[in-house]
Amino acid sequence: MTSLCIHALALPRAHVTNLLASTAMATALLAAQTLPGVAQEQAQDTVSSDDVFLGTIVLSGTKRAETLDDFMGSVSVVTTEDLQTRNITDGVEAAQKTPGVNLYSYGDRTNAFVNIRGVGPILQPLSPDDSSVLTFVDGAALMLSQSGSAYLDVEQVEIFKGPQNTLFGRATSGGAINVVPNRPTDELEGSVRLEFGTDHEFLTEFIGNAPIVPGQLNARIALRRQGVDGYITNDEGPDFGEEDITAGRLSFEYTPSDATSVLLTYFAEEVDLVPSYYLPQLGDDDPQDGAQSFASDNQSSRIAALKIEHDFERFRFTSQTSFNKQDIENAYQGDHNLFSLIYGLPPSFFSAKETNRIAYEKEQTRVEQEFRLSSLPGDRISWVAGLSAYRDEFDIYNDSHNAVFQGAQSGIYTFDQTNEAVSVFADARIPLTDRLALSGGLRYTSETKEFDAEYDSTGFDAIYPGVVPSYSEKGKETYDFWTGKLALSYDWTPEVSTYVSVARGYKTGGFGVYSSLMAYGIPRDTYEPSETTSYEIGGRASLMGGALNLSGTIFYTDLNSEQIMLFDFANFQTRNANVDAFSRGIELEADWLVNDNWQLSAGVAYTQSEITGLPDDAATLNPGLEEGDELPNTPRLAVNLGVGYQATASELGWTSDWAPERVSARLGYNFQGERYFDAANEGKLEDTHLVSARLGFDWGNSELYVFGENLLDEDYFITRQPFGVAAGTNTPAYGVTEGRGRTIGIGYSMKF
């Protein structure tokens, strides 16, 4: 609370009114402590210290039964309760509320992706196979463009930081996010949840679980529909920011014996958004209204997975098969008001669809198969070894004509790429003494990429000098590489341990999806592989009988030939390239069950990043880019604070017939320090202070709650892209996207 007060006092005067406006709700969340009859004895329904003892958390992402205490690396675990009390429903919100994890978004979902500790695609991925940080569902990889997918009926979310190539493959050089869904059980049970809030926000959810053949076959279904109105004014079309999302998962688990299980899962998601691409901003003035006749970002995902496990006498065998298909339709106009600001022409000049449209149709399909052997729970040596293979096909159809981009965005482009890879891996944790343990792993991967691309001008060659009637190109590359990790841990006491580790990450090179040079008959630039070496010193402590849990990490990450798209706004041309960089910093997490009623949590990440090496022509291709620039969207400081309170109604002196069994409250604060959106460090994003809250009344099998996000109604940007200077001036012009303002809602959930 002290830190929160300090930040509140530092707010500009314009924020004070907003702070006072939200105080009533925040006070209500904490007011329960002042009610009479607060008992000092332990309440029957309050959380005990055993429930928060970190050693009981089993990490699914390590692909064998390994507890958090035994893992030699940095990982943040978000439990089911955390997801509910922090109002996290998808990957977007999870990234925003985890220090050291940053979501890079252009106001849509298709082009949103995650970086961890500054490691991730710089500006945007060069190709859909970029996998610096991928999301996995029970170990099966999602596409990069599915990073914001729904977290539906989830047991826990594991955020692994630093290179994770040994176990996750797919070049996870920055980290990996593993989502662990709830599995079917032999209980007949279910739940429903309803939420309504400002901006016509709504959420409806149903979860059902039932035994089909008692003791052998169980089924589970989870369905969700949610949406919200737009929040950014659009003078020419629907307001930006509108969302409509439908998601569902159906699972069957067959257990013919205690040693064998077969889990079949099918997940589907439909996402329809009105994206908010680049509102005009002149200098540091307030943004102007947007003006786009149409803007849509629609995604359809279908994922099927089959997981077979069998325990032999000395090891476990696992077969994991997954099929993932995603279709995307993305269409929008360059903003009329933004182009008017840059070129000095009236907005109506840019309103015609024939001369200002950008439209993409994308289809990506991935098939993966993994076989592995692993140790059994309780084995002294924890190990896993396996064979993995995948095939990924990506097709894009781009029919665009944007007159201000001249030939660079005019015509029909197609790009088809196929990736195939096979890898073998092994990882083990070996106790050397009662206190000292060694952990290490290696992965060998052979990957082949092949692409075909075509361009047709559809008459634009007669309009723009240098544009050719048509052009085609193709290419093929094969990459063979090793990745791995080595770590050493020491248990000072049963409750305190430290570790040191070094890990190597790798991303293959490639061809790049987008090429502005095809229209001029020029082959696209290939880009080189990227290597990541991460050094880490960390530790964990579980103190006060497990009531206080601490973890900390000091890290240094060396990025060699990291991949980047250079962009010249003067000529609207893109080039693929490689740069050298580093990131280093410290991360701290704490969770303290103060007593039976109060719980405090905190997370702090300090990250310093810098580009250290550039191609000779980088400054020409991307004006303003130079050595010493910070990696984009990587704040120096990020902080997450939480204050939780719970008590039984009897403790609070609430004895009426309709009194709930328990009252719970949480006040959360998320801070992101200033950072740059672009690699040249010209589009600065200022500090962001976001306050959230939740107050719940629990009757055992039902709960009524109120919640709020961005209670201070903070004005902040999630994008700020420089577009040169405004016409006839020397004032910088930017394209920006604003974050959503204050939202307050009410919800009800019931278990049966």
Side-chain angles (χ1 to χ4, degrees):
M1 289 295 294
T2 303
S3 299
L4 180 58
C5 292
I6 292 173
H7 284 292
L9 292 173
L11 290 172
R13 181 174 297 180
H15 287 66
V16 173
T17 302
N18 292 329
L19 179 60
L20 293 175
S22 63
T23 299
M25 184 172 182
T27 302
L29 295 177
L30 300 176
Q33 64 167 320
T34 65
L35 296 178
V38 178
Q40 300 301 317
E41 297 84 4
Q42 179 175 355
Q44 179 179 356
D45 294 329
T46 54
V47 177
S48 69
S49 61
D50 290 341
D51 293 319
V52 296
F53 180 61
L54 294 183
T56 63
I57 294 177
V58 177
L59 299 176
S60 173
T62 62
K63 301 190 177 182
R64 73 265 199 187
E66 186 174 24
T67 66
L68 177 60
D69 275 355
D70 288 337
F71 181 70
M72 301 182 200
S74 179
V75 57
S76 298
V77 179
V78 185
T79 65
T80 298
E81 184 179 359
D82 293 333
L83 294 172
Q84 293 175 350
T85 59
R86 295 169 63 188
N87 199 29
I88 296 174
T89 61
D90 56 35
V92 175
E93 293 165 345
Q96 291 172 338
K97 296 180 179 181
T98 304
V101 180
N102 304 292
L103 185 80
Y104 206 107
S105 172
Y106 291 83
D108 63 358
R109 293 288 180 94
T110 298
N111 299 296
F113 55 88
V114 174
N115 78 48
I116 295 179
R117 299 174 173 173
V119 182
I122 301 179
L123 303 181
Q124 67 179 47
L126 302 186
S127 180
D129 63 275
D130 186 299
S131 49
S132 306
V133 179
L134 278 189
T135 298
F136 297 77
V137 178
D138 197 18
L142 300 185
M143 275 57 143
L144 186 66
S145 52
Q146 293 170 326
S147 297
S149 289
Y151 287 0
L152 178 62
D153 190 23
V154 169
E155 176 185 340
Q156 66 187 34
V157 178
E158 304 160 356
I159 303 174
F160 294 88
K161 301 176 181 179
Q164 304 296 325
N165 303 78
T166 304
L167 293 176
F168 288 98
R170 293 294 299 148
T172 45
S173 55
I177 300 173
N178 188 46
V179 181
V180 186
N182 285 308
R183 299 176 70 145
T185 69
D186 57 3
E187 298 291 333
L188 180 61
E189 59 185 2
S191 66
V192 294
R193 179 159 64 123
L194 302 172
E195 288 184 0
F196 300 96
T198 52
D199 290 345
H200 293 102
E201 179 181 359
F202 73 90
L203 182 147
T204 60
E205 183 178 275
F206 169 78
I207 297 173
N209 188 96
I212 299 176
V213 179
Q216 287 193 332
L217 181 62
N218 302 314
R220 190 175 186 93
I221 187 171
L223 301 171
R224 178 189 293 164
R225 175 79 185 278
Q226 66 184 112
V228 65
D229 285 351
Y231 63 99
I232 299 175
T233 301
N234 181 8
D235 293 338
E236 301 293 336
D239 286 348
F240 304 120
E242 180 181 336
E243 299 183 5
D244 192 336
I245 302 171
T246 303
R249 179 186 294 110
L250 178 62
S251 303
F252 297 93
E253 185 164 24
Y254 174 55
T255 53
S257 69
D258 292 340
T260 304
S261 68
V262 179
L263 179 65
L264 177 63
T265 304
Y266 180 76
F267 174 83
E269 184 177 41
E270 299 286 339
V271 180
D272 297 331
L273 307 179
V274 180
S276 50
Y277 293 122
Y278 294 153
L279 306 179
Q281 184 193 31
L282 181 62
D284 292 324
D285 294 345
D286 291 336
Q288 303 175 20
D289 290 343
Q292 299 178 33
S293 302
F294 57 90
S296 63
D297 181 36
N298 303 329
Q299 302 181 37
S300 175
S301 297
R302 301 289 185 270
I303 304 173
L306 176 65
K307 187 175 184 179
I308 302 172
E309 294 180 306
H310 180 78
D311 287 352
F312 292 91
E313 184 178 353
R314 296 184 179 277
F315 61 86
R316 173 175 293 172
F317 166 78
T318 303
S319 170
Q320 188 158 348
T321 309
S322 63
F323 172 83
N324 188 348
K325 185 176 187 296
Q326 185 184 38
D327 295 296
I328 296 172
E329 294 183 357
N330 186 221
Y332 57 97
Q333 284 189 310
D335 193 88
H336 313 166
N337 293 339
L338 175 61
F339 286 164
S340 175
L341 180 68
I342 297 170
Y343 295 102
L345 298 170
S348 59
F349 183 84
F350 306 99
S351 62
K353 179 179 179 180
E354 293 75 18
T355 57
N356 185 6
R357 72 176 186 274
I358 300 174
Y360 294 98
E361 294 180 10
K362 305 174 184 178
E363 180 181 300
Q364 189 169 3
T365 304
R366 177 178 298 153
V367 180
E368 286 189 277
Q369 175 64 57
E370 183 170 282
F371 299 106
R372 60 180 183 265
L373 304 177
S374 62
S375 56
L376 296 173
D379 285 355
R380 182 174 181 273
I381 298 178
S382 172
W383 60 271
V384 62
L387 170 68
S388 179
Y390 79 90
R391 177 183 173 88
D392 185 289
E393 297 179 357
F394 176 80
D395 304 317
I396 184 170
Y397 177 85
N398 173 213
D399 182 5
S400 299
H401 182 197
N402 199 307
V404 300
F405 293 163
Q406 301 181 21
Q409 279 284 357
S410 298
I412 296 176
Y413 296 81
T414 62
F415 180 90
D416 304 322
Q417 178 172 288
T418 300
N419 288 18
E420 293 182 336
V422 177
S423 60
V424 292
F425 63 92
D427 188 87
R429 181 185 187 276
I430 305 171
L432 302 178
T433 69
D434 290 341
R435 294 188 176 189
L436 187 66
L438 176 69
S439 175
L442 283 174
R443 190 182 193 104
Y444 171 77
T445 304
S446 179
E447 181 172 349
T448 299
K449 296 184 181 183
E450 189 171 2
F451 89 99
D452 284 284
E454 294 185 0
Y455 165 80
D456 291 298
S457 74
T458 63
F460 298 120
D461 54 310
I463 302 175
Y464 302 121
V467 173
V468 298
S470 62
Y471 180 73
S472 63
E473 57 177 323
K474 62 176 58 179
K476 182 177 181 179
E477 293 286 347
T478 298
Y479 304 90
D480 299 298
F481 56 94
W482 288 90
T483 53
K485 181 178 180 179
L486 186 65
L488 194 66
S489 70
Y490 186 79
D491 296 336
W492 299 92
T493 71
E495 295 80 21
V496 179
S497 65
T498 56
Y499 68 88
V500 294
S501 70
V502 58
R504 180 178 186 266
Y506 186 95
K507 289 194 300 184
T508 55
F511 312 100
V513 172
Y514 305 103
S515 174
S516 61
L517 303 177
M518 283 191 73
Y520 303 99
I522 301 173
R524 70 192 61 218
D525 297 310
T526 59
Y527 54 91
E528 299 300 316
S530 171
E531 297 181 8
T532 302
T533 305
S534 179
Y535 307 90
E536 196 171 302
I537 301 175
R540 296 186 184 89
S542 185
L543 309 175
M544 301 169 61
L548 175 61
N549 293 283
L550 307 171
S551 64
T553 305
I554 299 173
F555 65 89
Y556 180 89
T557 305
D558 181 33
L559 303 173
N560 183 22
S561 296
E562 184 57 270
Q563 297 151 7
I564 185 173
M565 178 183 290
L566 304 178
F567 194 83
D568 181 0
F569 276 95
N571 300 306
F572 297 103
Q573 292 184 357
T574 61
R575 296 283 298 276
N576 301 324
N578 296 79
V579 301
D580 296 330
F582 73 79
S583 72
R584 60 191 177 196
I586 184 170
E587 296 167 345
L588 301 171
E589 290 190 45
D591 194 346
W592 182 22
L593 189 65
V594 180
N595 53 38
D596 296 331
N597 302 114
W598 290 95
Q599 185 171 5
L600 305 178
S601 62
V604 179
Y606 177 83
T607 307
Q608 181 186 5
S609 64
E610 183 178 315
I611 295 176
T612 58
L614 293 168
D616 293 337
D617 55 353
T620 301
L621 298 173
N622 199 131
L625 182 63
E626 59 185 11
E627 293 183 7
D629 287 340
E630 297 181 19
L631 291 169
N633 209 42
T634 305
R636 286 284 184 98
L637 181 63
V639 179
N640 177 48
L641 301 176
V643 180
Y645 178 84
Q646 67 170 1
T648 61
S650 59
E651 283 184 288
L652 302 174
W654 195 346
T655 58
S656 63
D657 292 340
W658 52 273
E661 293 183 11
R662 180 186 301 175
V663 177
S664 62
R666 187 182 191 279
L667 182 66
Y669 170 71
N670 291 280
F671 168 80
Q672 274 201 324
E674 63 181 22
R675 65 268 185 214
Y676 295 97
F677 183 78
D678 65 309
N681 290 184
E682 295 181 359
K684 179 179 285 188
L685 302 173
E686 300 297 336
D687 293 348
T688 303
H689 306 264
L690 299 179
V691 175
S692 60
R694 188 182 189 274
L695 173 64
F697 304 92
D698 190 344
W699 282 268
N701 64 343
S702 64
E703 184 188 25
L704 179 68
Y705 56 93
V706 293
F707 62 90
E709 295 288 330
N710 192 7
L711 289 176
L712 301 182
D713 203 21
E714 174 96 350
D715 293 326
Y716 66 100
F717 297 145
I718 59 176
T719 69
R720 195 169 191 243
Q721 178 68 59
F723 277 83
V725 298
T729 74
N730 291 319
T731 305
Y734 300 95
V736 301
T737 300
E738 296 178 287
R740 188 179 291 273
R742 180 192 296 123
T743 59
I744 297 175
I746 186 170
Y748 177 77
S749 65
M750 181 178 67
K751 300 176 182 178
F752 53 86

